[in-house]
Amino acid sequence: MKAIILILCSLLVTPVWANTYVVGDPMETLKLQDQYEADYAIDSTIKQVLFSRSMDGGTLIQTALDEQPELYKKGDLAYVADISAMPSLIARFVAIPQFKQFAYRVALDRDGEITKALPAQKDQVTLIQISDNKITQISYFDSAESLLEALK
């Protein structure tokens, strides 16, 4: 009985692992909306994607971009946040108004479906580097300083 449960559990979990982007994969266009509900496509013009699934990761990205705003102004960097784990009232009345204070756009995944294939580690920032629409590097950061070094 335990073996059957183990097999069933592994079958349910395996598709999640199999669908996570890895180096060498083509980067699909992500069609989201920003903090102003304007359409925002993360497409072939983007060379670097900053991604966070958590508030801690988002804070690291905010710190880095506030310190070096010119990094975002080049136009080839995108900030994507999965806010699906956040209660909708908190998102609507706290998080999104805070995002509107930023001097840069944030692509928001409100239900978690569009960004589910993006790799992430708990409370860290994921930096996905892209060239010719293929993922060339995936890095994780737990400090704004190390993230800034990688972005320079």
Side-chain angles (χ1 to χ4, degrees):
M1 183 65 171
K2 288 181 184 178
I4 292 172
I5 292 172
L6 180 63
I7 291 170
L8 289 175
C9 288
S10 68
L11 289 174
L12 294 173
V13 173
T14 302
V16 172
W17 292 333
N19 291 333
T20 302
Y21 282 123
V22 295
V23 172
D25 283 350
M27 182 72 179
E28 300 293 327
T29 297
L30 304 176
K31 294 180 181 179
L32 297 161
Q33 289 187 330
D34 68 8
Q35 65 267 45
Y36 302 103
E37 297 184 11
D39 291 340
Y40 189 4
I42 311 303
D43 57 19
S44 62
T45 63
I46 302 300
K47 304 299 175 210
Q48 298 180 100
V49 175
L50 292 172
F51 177 63
S52 175
R53 288 194 201 281
S54 69
M55 192 167 144
D56 289 341
T59 300
L60 294 175
I61 293 171
Q62 179 185 356
T63 301
L65 292 179
D66 285 350
E67 189 172 319
Q68 298 284 326
E70 66 276 2
L71 293 171
Y72 197 83
K73 292 179 181 172
K74 290 189 281 185
D76 63 354
L77 174 70
Y79 173 9
V80 179
D82 176 356
I83 61 170
S84 63
M86 191 178 298
S88 62
L89 288 175
I90 299 295
R92 179 179 293 150
F93 295 112
V94 178
I96 293 174
Q98 183 178 349
F99 286 131
K100 288 180 179 179
Q101 295 176 9
F102 296 167
Y104 43 85
R105 292 177 81 186
V106 182
L108 300 174
D109 188 357
R110 289 173 169 85
D111 63 15
E113 282 301 308
I114 296 171
T115 60
K116 70 181 177 185
L118 295 181
Q121 291 186 359
K122 185 176 170 68
D123 298 330
Q124 294 189 16
V125 175
T126 304
L127 173 60
I128 303 169
Q129 296 179 326
I130 306 161
S131 179
D132 296 324
N133 246 22
K134 288 196 187 266
I135 297 173
T136 58
Q137 186 172 351
I138 299 171
S139 307
Y140 303 97
F141 299 92
D142 59 5
S143 75
E145 296 79 21
S146 60
L147 176 59
L148 278 171
E149 278 301 311
L151 290 170
K152 290 182 183 178

